[in-house]
Every structure is written in structure tokens, then in C-alpha cells.
Amino acid sequence: MSIPLFEAHGLSFRYPGRPAVALPGLRVAAGDILGLAGPNGTGKSTLLRILAFLYPPAEGELRFDGRSVTSEAQRARLRRQVTLLPQEPRLLSRSVWHNVTYGLRVRGDKQNIDERAAEALDMVGLEPSRFLSRSWRQLSGGEAQRVALAARLVLRPRALILDEPTASLDAASAERIRQAALAARQERGTTLIIASHDLRWLDTVSDHVLHMGDYPE
Ligand SMILES: Nc1ncnc2c1ncn2[C@@H]1O[C@H](COP(=O)(O)OP(=O)(O)OP(=O)(O)O)[C@@H](O)[C@H]1O
């Protein structure tokens, strides 16, 4: 059996005075889609931040690509390979171009930057010639979410982690987001981990769905 991209054993995380995640085990193969379901407050967002290497687990082991991840230096390096679209992403108070290219510019990865930004906008169904120069102020909620996703897609992460990416969006924007995520997996082999209350969608697209349980107070 090949080495999974993500593998975890006995992961737990606590906020002060409050357990948030207690997960016996997890395996996600490269190129797979893992769905994450569960009622509010069952630790989905917290688990996604652990898998995106933003939070260290309190206990347990998290392995990425066969290696145990134990240090902040490792997590910082892996954040270049794994990207989280949070539940309520914030845009920079700048143009769409600035937003979509931000991560590339921070990395000093500027080759063909305009073409890559245009390609990412195309993936989320926003016409680059209309949107690249547009201010963040001139975007609807659904357009802003699609720009935020384009800003992650442009980085071509090995794994893209989406936290309720279609919550409170109009139907057309939600469909564009779903299509763009699936296109990343199909065209680039991007591994997807998606938390959503849209169980029908998760069941349709996911290779596995993990149901998060309730944790005692
Ligand atoms: N920064 C924080 N400080 C303290 N407690 C927190 C913090 N963030 C989340 N929690 C608590 O940890 C638990 C898990 O929260 P989390 O946001 O991970 O759940 P969730 O399943 O993503 O919920 P939702 O579906 O509402 O987004 C909840 O009880 C929540 O109130």
C-alpha cells in the first residue's frame, strides 16, 4: 500500500478548559477527497487547522508524506504545500490582482504571475479581464469567496483544505466553488479535505467522509 499524504494517530487538541478534537486515526491518500461532516462545534475547523499545520496537536502523531511532523520549522515548510481556505476568508483591501497574487509575491515566485492569476480566476469562473483590476470593495460575497479560493489555487498546493467553502453563498457561486475544487483534484491531482454541512455533495464527491462526534464538555 502506498504511503498516505496525511496520516494521524490519536490526535487531540484542547482550547483552554475545552476539548475540541479527539481523533483516533486518519489516512488520506494523495489525490483523494476527504469529507468532514458533523454538527456545529464538533471540532471540524480545529482539525482542519491542525491538518493545515497552523496548530500543533496537543497529543498524537501527524505524518505528512510518510514523515512525522513534530517541529514548528517543519510545519512552516509544509504550509507551502498545504493551504487552508478558512470559513470566512479575509481579502486584502486591494485589487483582485493583489489578492490573487499575494502568496506568489510573498514567496518571490513571480514568473508568469499575471497568466497564473488569470488562470486561477478562470478556474473559479471569474472573467480575468473584468475582475483582475477590480477593487475588493466591488465584489459580492460570492465573488469575494471565489477570489479567496483563486488566491489558494494559484499556489498549486499539494493539498487544499476547505472549511465550509459554500456556506451562505448564492447557488451559482457555490457551484463555481465546487467545480473549481474538483477541477484542481482532476487536473492537478490536488488532495482535497472539505468540511461541509452539504452532506449530499460530500457523499457524492468524497472518497471517504469522516463524521466528527460530540465531545464531552
Ligand atoms: N479560539 C477558540 N477558543 C476557545 N474555544 C474555541 C475556539 N475555537 C473554537 N472553540 C471551541 O472548540 C470547539 C470546536 O470548534 P470548531 O470551530 O473546531 O468546531 P466546528 O465543528 O468547526 O464548528 P462549526 O461547524 O460551527 O464551524 C467548540 O466547542 C468551539 O466553541
Side-chain angles (χ1 to χ4, degrees):
M1 196 158 50
S2 61
I3 295 170
L5 192 62
F6 292 90
E7 187 173 6
H9 302 281
L11 278 193
S12 71
F13 189 89
R14 294 181 70 83
Y15 294 105
R18 182 191 293 265
V21 170
L23 187 72
L26 174 84
R27 284 172 73 93
V28 188
D32 267 8
I33 302 182
L34 174 72
L36 207 54
N40 295 115
T42 49
K44 299 182 299 297
S45 298
T46 307
L47 176 61
L48 294 186
R49 286 187 206 122
I50 293 170
L51 296 176
F53 303 109
L54 296 169
Y55 288 176
E59 291 171 316
E61 187 184 32
L62 177 58
R63 301 175 75 85
F64 185 80
D65 218 2
R67 290 218 184 120
S68 189
V69 181
T70 53
S71 70
E72 180 50 33
Q74 271 178 305
R75 281 189 289 276
R77 278 196 299 276
L78 290 173
R79 290 198 286 267
R80 291 187 161 225
Q81 301 190 40
V82 180
T83 301
L84 171 73
L85 179 67
Q87 209 168 333
E88 290 177 2
R90 297 219 194 118
L91 293 184
L92 305 170
S93 314
R94 304 286 302 272
S95 70
V96 169
W97 182 89
H98 279 95
N99 274 283
V100 175
T101 61
Y102 176 76
L104 294 175
R105 289 182 288 115
V106 166
R107 294 177 184 188
D109 181 6
K110 296 183 184 163
Q111 214 176 7
N112 302 325
I113 196 164
D114 293 330
E115 290 85 342
R116 290 153 76 192
E119 182 194 29
L121 274 186
D122 264 333
M123 279 181 85
V124 297
L126 296 176
E127 172 60 45
S129 62
R130 285 178 55 215
F131 279 91
L132 269 174
S133 60
R134 202 177 273 197
S135 160
W136 67 285
R137 283 181 218 280
Q138 300 166 314
L139 300 173
S140 70
E143 288 164 353
Q145 182 77 345
R146 285 147 77 184
V147 167
L149 177 57
R152 274 81 184 169
L153 290 170
V154 79
L155 301 172
R156 291 181 172 256
R158 289 178 73 190
L160 181 60
I161 299 186
L162 305 171
D163 194 354
E164 303 203 15
T166 59
S168 68
L169 290 190
D170 62 278
S173 287
E175 185 52 27
R176 285 297 192 170
I177 298 261
R178 288 192 283 261
Q179 284 175 3
L182 295 184
R185 125 103 157 208
Q186 198 157 346
E187 292 162 19
R188 303 173 173 176
T190 308
T191 303
L192 301 177
I193 301 177
I194 308 170
S196 177
H197 289 286
D198 186 344
L199 295 185
R200 196 184 301 177
W201 178 54
L202 279 192
D203 278 337
T204 308
V205 301
S206 303
D207 296 289
H208 305 281
V209 178
L210 181 64
H211 291 269
M212 302 287 278
D214 275 314
Y215 300 110
E217 283 287 314

